[in-house]
Amino acid sequence: MATTIKKLTEEQKSWIPGVVSHWINYSLNFPEKADTGMYLWQPPAPIKDLQENMDWLYTAASLPTPRVLEVDSPYSMQLVANLIQKLPWDSFRGEEEDIDCALRVAPAMAADLAPNTTLRRADIIASLQKHLGVTSLNEETKESLDTLTMSYVPTACIGIGHDAGWAAYYSYYKMVGGDTISNNEHRLKIVEAGIWDCIVLYDIAIACRRPFKVRLDDQQRLHSLESPALEWADGHKLYFVAGVHMPTKYFTDPKNLTSKEVFDQSNVEVRKGLIQVMGVDKFIASAGGTVIDEDVDSSGMPRLLIRMNTKTSNGDTFTVVEVECPSKHDKHYLFVPPNMLTCAKAIAWTFDVEDEYYAPLIET
């Protein structure tokens, strides 16, 4: 009969933060901090017992045990799966079996291509020739590359990237006296092995390791204004601000980021993130604006209501209210609806009240 746990002891409750911290640190490959406060990042360790874990997974699905490949990022997983399925391996395999050639060459090509922000035909050809050891490709291969398109291959959604929460709960459940569940033990082993996620084709399993570097804000969202928020050991990088994915080009080539580019973003959250990347002061200066109202707050600090001269591609305008901190005297900018006409109404709107009801004794 299964054990029922109705109440935790105070000691058992005290274990929870440690379990949470362990799984976050392991899942995201967080290193220890040096005395300087800097993280000492290290590439994640290779996946443990990958063949054994994939054998169990395929057997559970009543499939033959697969050949396995290990790569460094989810993007490389997609590259490998597409290359294996879409290139005419029989036309250039030489003495190798098709599958052997594909398994040897596709992961090496993915490692070449993963750092690139765009997938170019010339790069694919150069990498393919390098790993085949040839200086030219036959016509059949060239034609296949002319029509090659990358498509998303669904993942199995099995690994730390999906199961860290469940694994943390189950490991804690066992700590406080819960029953060991045989099927869950196998799944926990897959997570503990260091598999981030995997693609399971009929006879090939492709698994990727944990991230290399992960940067978060104080709300535990992917976030960095200067660096990739998510980096993988093969060089694939993703940029996020406050948990929102940002276009790569504005980080790799900052001159692309102008106030017009910001205004032209259709996604409001992306727009807000890029303003942070650009810096609000620089954004305001670049966009230009007309002061439509000015006053002082209850602390005697000046306020300006500014309507941006630059418009979005849809013709929309931005309006901001500039406020000054009474202690540090640094300026802050609050974005408000374009129909605001006074600083008082604009500030009140940010607190979701009418301006006649917004009358603090002290503003901080």
Side-chain angles (χ1 to χ4, degrees):
M1 185 173 178
T3 302
T4 300
I5 301 172
K6 294 185 177 180
K7 188 176 181 180
L8 298 174
T9 67
E10 291 304 313
E11 182 183 16
Q12 289 170 336
K13 291 178 183 178
S14 72
W15 300 340
I16 294 175
V19 173
V20 171
S21 178
H22 164 77
W23 280 99
I24 289 176
N25 291 342
Y26 180 68
S27 301
L28 301 181
N29 191 34
F30 272 146
E32 296 294 326
K33 280 187 177 180
D35 293 338
T36 60
M38 301 293 289
Y39 281 116
L40 302 174
W41 299 102
Q42 294 292 333
I47 297 170
K48 294 180 290 187
D49 304 322
L50 179 57
Q51 184 71 60
E52 178 186 335
N53 283 311
M54 291 297 101
D55 286 353
W56 175 81
L57 188 62
Y58 273 65
T59 300
S62 300
L63 292 172
T65 55
R67 304 278 291 273
V68 299
L69 295 172
E70 182 175 346
V71 296
D72 280 321
S73 72
Y75 183 49
S76 279
M77 277 202 312
Q78 293 294 327
L79 286 170
V80 169
N82 274 268
L83 292 171
I84 286 176
Q85 293 178 317
K86 296 179 179 180
L87 290 185
W89 297 100
D90 59 338
S91 72
F92 45 66
R93 61 181 172 82
E95 298 299 318
E96 287 181 286
E97 294 292 330
D98 296 0
I99 185 66
D100 293 329
C101 184
L103 295 181
R104 177 178 63 84
V105 174
M109 291 180 64
D112 290 342
L113 300 171
N116 300 339
T117 55
T118 57
L119 194 60
R120 298 180 301 183
R121 181 177 181 273
D123 294 330
I124 297 173
I125 290 175
S127 180
L128 181 58
Q129 290 181 167
K130 178 176 73 173
H131 296 294
L132 287 175
V134 299
T135 57
S136 62
L137 300 174
N138 60 38
E139 289 305 315
E140 180 184 359
T141 304
K142 290 178 181 178
E143 289 176 8
S144 70
L145 292 175
D146 286 338
T147 58
L148 177 65
T149 56
M150 296 292 292
S151 56
Y152 175 72
V153 180
T155 74
C157 297
I158 295 174
I160 302 173
H162 301 275
D163 292 330
W166 165 85
Y169 173 83
Y170 178 61
S171 61
Y172 178 75
Y173 162 78
K174 292 197 300 177
M175 287 174 62
V176 299
D179 300 303
T180 296
I181 302 170
S182 177
N183 204 46
N184 283 358
E185 287 296 302
H186 285 284
R187 291 186 62 196
L188 182 62
K189 186 177 179 182
I190 287 177
V191 176
E192 291 177 328
I195 296 172
W196 179 263
D197 198 358
C198 52
I199 289 175
V200 290
L201 306 177
Y202 179 77
D203 54 355
I204 300 171
I206 310 163
C208 77
R209 302 183 187 102
R210 293 169 292 153
F212 177 19
K213 298 181 182 180
V214 179
R215 298 178 177 90
L216 307 174
D217 63 11
D218 56 8
Q219 297 183 49
Q220 300 299 296
R221 299 174 298 188
L222 289 168
H223 175 84
S224 178
L225 298 180
E226 300 86 21
S227 308
L230 189 55
E231 294 186 58
W232 303 86
D234 59 11
H236 184 57
K237 301 177 177 66
L238 295 172
Y239 298 83
F240 289 80
V241 173
V244 178
H245 182 233
M246 295 287 129
T248 297
K249 66 178 182 178
Y250 300 124
F251 289 82
T252 55
D253 193 1
K255 71 176 182 293
N256 284 314
L257 187 52
T258 64
S259 58
K260 184 178 186 311
E261 287 290 325
V262 173
F263 280 119
D264 284 345
Q265 299 298 318
S266 58
N267 185 302
V268 174
E269 294 302 315
V270 172
R271 196 183 296 162
K272 288 165 58 178
L274 290 179
I275 290 172
Q276 291 185 61
V277 172
M278 189 173 184
V280 177
D281 289 354
K282 182 178 177 182
F283 170 74
I284 296 289
S286 173
T290 302
V291 175
I292 57 177
D293 187 44
E294 56 185 302
D295 65 9
V296 295
D297 63 21
S298 56
S299 300
M301 305 308 296
R303 303 188 298 198
L304 296 176
L305 187 64
I306 308 168
R307 182 161 295 145
M308 299 292 99
N309 294 333
T310 307
K311 296 183 178 182
T312 69
S313 55
N314 296 326
D316 298 329
T317 59
F318 273 85
T319 302
V320 299
V321 58
E322 179 188 277
V323 296
E324 188 170 330
C325 174
S327 57
K328 296 182 179 179
H329 294 282
D330 52 348
K331 291 182 171 58
H332 300 275
Y333 296 90
L334 309 173
F335 286 78
V336 298
N339 61 343
M340 294 292 158
L341 297 177
T342 67
C343 296
K345 284 188 177 295
I347 293 294
W349 177 87
T350 67
F351 288 92
D352 197 25
V353 297
E354 296 295 330
D355 59 312
E356 61 265 28
Y357 297 113
Y358 178 72
L361 296 176
I362 299 176
E363 295 201 35
T364 59

